[in-house]
Amino acid sequence: TGLDPQIVIIGCGISGIGAAQKLTQHGFRNVRILEATDRSGGRIKTGQLGTNIVEIGANWIHGPCKENPVFRLACQYQLLDNEAMSEENQSVDCGGHPPFVPNWFCSSGRKVGPELMLPAMSMYASVLEKSQEFQHIGGEPVPSVGEFIKSEASRLAQEEWRDDQVVRELRLAMVNTLLKAECCVSGTHTMDDVGLGAFGMYKTLPGLDCTFPQGYDGLIEHMMKELPKDIVSYNKPVKCIHWNGSYDGSSAGKTTCPVVVECEDGETFPADHVIITISLGYLKKHHQTLLSPPLPLHKVHSIQRMGFGTNNKIFLEFEQPFWEEDCEAIFLVWDDEVGLTDVVADVKTSWARKLFGFTVLKPAERYGHVLCGWIAGHESEYMETLSELEVLHTVTQLIRKFTGNPTIAPRKLVRSQWHSHPYACGSYTYIAKGCSGCDISNLAEPLPPGDSQTKAMQVLFAGEATHSSFFSTVHGALLTGWREADRLISSYAPTIPGPASSK
Ligand code: 6YU
């Protein structure tokens, strides 16, 4: 027999799809997904650069091992190549930092070798590792990851590379490049905004990060096929969630449901339970009007305190590579930069300084010669306001400067614009300075708070921002969708043991 409560899921990203999947599999029949845009997938979005596929949003399965639910689904749907599924790949543990084969180019127009750069990379890696330890040992000396890395790196540089000022400065310039790369990883403007005490909350899984040869969207397509047809209403931005029986719309007639979801176009959906999966960026911007009555203060404060920034990609296609054949990542090192910093002084004239470099799309037989540039922060948000042609021009000049080759010209360009996306409002969550695990628990807490039996669980919260150790990832988002579905499933069938909790 089916179960009949009305359940509305807001957002058809991976967490919304995951919640719908679990609920429908458990016999819930009245499940509806309201999606603001005309597509499923949210921040998973495969696009095109000419005839190539490129990932505009999520790129990798981070930590593809049996414990990773995205990896399990991708294997089940046969979406990965054999190498990605091999036992060997699954057992590699690189602590979230895949060992890319690097090339280094300097702003003075020369290519530099590993003997100069590897010591900077390994020093940086050890400082980064140290910065994750305060989660357990406490007593962090400064509030942010950025301040910690900068002070440790300058101290170690003085100690280890004392004798050669030129080498020391070049290696410190490389540390700047790595800090800018870290801004992309964390999705933040500066590592000075990322809290040191909670930096270790993010957990990595074993496995060598892998991609979907036919695109991440394939995962979404397969999951959607398992849902009842027509479960999603597209182009349905939700304007307001009226909970606690507060809705008094005259035209909609009376409903016995405690929640009414009102869309921008005026349509209303009564619900016993609503699962909100929309991004933290959207909540920061719209929480005051999205819920009526408004959110309790402790929840509002956590939404405001938590970090949500921008990481964008700029894809470029070239006739011929200017990098070495085995190269997997290109680092741009500004050898004119003095001192340690990950922000750009004049965003308008120098935004491209924040682009730390490129990853190389592999294999070349599949993609041709395509690079993916990475840029985070306000500089990245400014880049979004420029035309594609302006971005192409600036990045072409940049590459010419670093290679010393005035004729290099990328053939095509595609870039993401996550900050100005009205329903993403940025890329993903980070734990900002002053935040702790309590903020994530606050975000994830259902409304009304407490455990009042009759009115419980009117509004539930899923989405990547609500996972305490896998925030900012696809697997984290999926697990939160399953978690909230499980919450409802176990409240309707307390005696039937549900599937393993996903928290
Ligand atoms: C991963 C990766 N990856 C790169 C870039 C981005 C992200 N992520 P969704 O937003 O998807 O769904 C919500 C839906 O709601 C959406 O469809 C909206 O349209 C809709 N909506 C909103 N408002 C609405 C309204 N009012 N009414 C109705 N509908 C509404 N993750 O695993 N591997 O390589 C990357 C990357 C450029 C932008 C990523 C990656 C993040 C994931 O994409 C993201 O978490 C999930 O897709 C979110 O799913 P969701 O369902 O929650 O929301 C130490 C330490 C540091 C910590 N960080 C390190 C981790 C590194 C993270 N790396 C990411 C990197 C890349 C490259």
Side-chain angles (χ1 to χ4, degrees):
T1 59
L3 298 161
D4 284 334
Q6 307 256 20
I7 302 173
V8 171
I9 298 169
I10 304 179
C12 196
I14 189 91
S15 58
I17 298 170
Q21 181 193 45
K22 210 151 238 206
L23 288 166
T24 52
Q25 279 168 2
H26 278 77
F28 287 81
R29 294 182 302 194
N30 294 317
V31 179
R32 167 134 310 274
I33 305 179
L34 303 178
E35 167 55 48
T37 68
D38 60 2
R39 56 177 285 277
S40 311
R43 282 171 275 167
I44 294 175
K45 186 174 187 202
T46 307
Q48 295 231 263
L49 177 69
T51 52
N52 280 316
I53 58 147
V54 288
E55 300 294 359
I56 305 297
N59 217 76
W60 294 282
I61 302 182
H62 288 307
C65 63
K66 302 231 158 56
E67 205 190 322
N68 185 326
V70 173
F71 179 69
R72 289 201 305 270
L73 284 177
C75 290
Q76 187 190 316
Y77 300 139
Q78 299 183 330
L79 298 173
L80 303 177
D81 59 27
N82 289 336
E83 198 184 324
M85 287 191 296
S86 68
E87 291 292 331
E88 194 190 333
N89 256 51
Q90 292 176 52
S91 58
V92 176
D93 200 345
C94 53
H97 287 79
F100 288 136
V101 175
N103 279 185
W104 297 270
F105 292 89
C106 290
S107 54
S108 50
R110 64 202 168 108
K111 195 159 173 290
V112 284
E115 67 292 348
L116 269 172
M117 288 307 176
L118 283 182
M121 306 239 332
S122 59
M123 181 260 260
Y124 180 85
S126 70
V127 175
L128 189 70
E129 202 171 306
K130 224 167 144 192
S131 66
Q132 283 151 351
E133 287 166 7
F134 296 102
Q135 161 80 1
H136 307 291
I137 58 175
E140 61 272 20
V142 285
S144 75
V145 177
E147 289 157 279
F148 181 72
I149 292 181
K150 285 185 278 186
S151 77
E152 283 292 283
S154 17
R155 183 179 65 77
L156 290 167
Q158 274 305 333
E159 268 172 41
E160 292 175 24
W161 310 317
R162 179 196 306 266
D163 301 334
D164 192 333
Q165 190 190 347
V166 175
V167 167
R168 185 172 66 241
E169 284 177 1
L170 188 62
R171 287 179 180 158
L172 284 172
M174 179 60 194
V175 170
N176 279 345
T177 302
L178 292 167
L179 276 171
K180 292 172 195 168
E182 210 61 53
C183 292
C184 292
V185 173
S186 278
T188 185
H189 173 55
T190 160
M191 291 309 289
D192 291 3
D193 290 344
V194 179
L196 182 59
F199 195 46
M201 268 175 67
Y202 179 78
K203 293 281 172 294
T204 57
L205 292 168
L208 194 59
D209 290 5
C210 65
T211 55
F212 289 77
Q214 308 297 325
Y216 230 125
D217 266 359
L219 174 70
I220 300 295
E221 273 165 42
H222 276 82
M223 291 180 80
M224 290 303 294
K225 273 192 205 137
E226 291 176 1
L227 294 182
K229 223 172 133 265
D230 299 331
I231 191 174
V232 188
S233 302
Y234 292 102
N235 301 308
K236 274 279 168 212
V238 167
K239 185 179 172 192
C240 185
I241 300 147
H242 304 264
W243 57 291
N244 251 357
S246 66
Y247 188 69
D248 61 357
S250 47
S251 60
K254 280 279 162 255
T255 170
T256 51
C257 287
V259 191
V260 172
V261 179
E262 180 192 357
C263 295
E264 290 285 356
D265 64 5
E267 195 174 348
T268 54
F269 294 83
D272 294 292
H273 310 284
V274 170
I275 303 180
I276 299 184
T277 74
I278 56 195
S279 78
L280 174 62
Y282 187 97
L283 288 179
K284 278 179 181 282
K285 226 169 159 175
H286 300 286
H287 69 84
Q288 277 170 323
T289 50
L290 187 66
L291 284 112
S292 169
L295 290 168
L297 266 186
H298 66 284
K299 230 172 153 76
V300 171
H301 288 156
S302 290
I303 289 171
Q304 290 167 337
R305 262 198 303 267
M306 288 281 292
F308 193 84
T310 306
N311 177 21
N312 273 313
K313 306 180 186 181
I314 304 175
F315 291 96
L316 300 164
E317 189 186 275
F318 295 84
E319 196 100 41
Q320 288 302 325
F322 63 83
W323 52 95
E324 287 165 14
E325 205 178 325
D326 64 344
C327 170
E328 293 170 315
I330 294 169
F331 290 103
L332 303 178
V333 186
W334 291 87
D335 47 13
D336 62 347
E337 262 171 19
V338 186
L340 285 171
T341 180
D342 57 4
V343 297
V344 166
D346 184 346
V347 171
K348 282 195 179 160
T349 56
S350 315
W351 62 269
R353 271 184 182 257
K354 189 66 167 265
L355 186 108
F356 81 79
F358 305 92
T359 47
V360 184
L361 269 61
K362 297 261 175 170
E365 304 84 68
R366 184 186 299 145
Y367 293 102
H369 307 298
V370 178
L371 295 182
C372 174
W374 297 85
I375 179 162
H378 300 161
E379 298 84 348
S380 177
E381 291 161 11
Y382 178 72
M383 179 277 292
E384 292 188 22
T385 67
L386 303 174
S387 72
E388 214 167 74
L389 259 182
E390 284 172 297
V391 175
L392 179 63
H393 175 76
T394 304
V395 177
T396 303
Q397 296 306 319
L398 184 82
I399 292 171
R400 289 179 177 174
K401 180 178 171 68
F402 276 79
T403 54
N405 177 345
T407 62
I408 291 184
R411 282 200 298 218
K412 288 195 193 77
L413 175 144
V414 165
R415 45 80 197 259
S416 61
Q417 291 168 291
W418 287 106
H419 178 70
S420 35
H421 188 301
Y423 300 106
C425 309
S427 57
Y428 39 84
T429 302
Y430 63 90
I431 311 287
K433 214 161 54 177
C435 282
S436 71
C438 296
D439 291 296
I440 294 193
S441 318
N442 283 346
L443 288 186
E445 183 187 48
L447 291 176
D451 46 16
S452 133
Q453 281 301 310
T454 45
K455 291 161 100 199
M457 289 187 272
Q458 293 178 30
V459 186
L460 311 176
F461 293 82
E464 56 84 16
T466 70
H467 199 285
S468 59
S469 48
F470 299 144
F471 54 86
S472 77
T473 66
V474 173
H475 54 283
L478 176 60
L479 288 171
T480 64
W482 287 352
R483 178 191 68 206
E484 296 310 310
D486 276 343
R487 207 191 283 275
L488 289 176
I489 291 162
S490 50
S491 86
Y492 278 86
T495 51
I496 304 168
S501 161
S502 48
K503 202 164 176 195

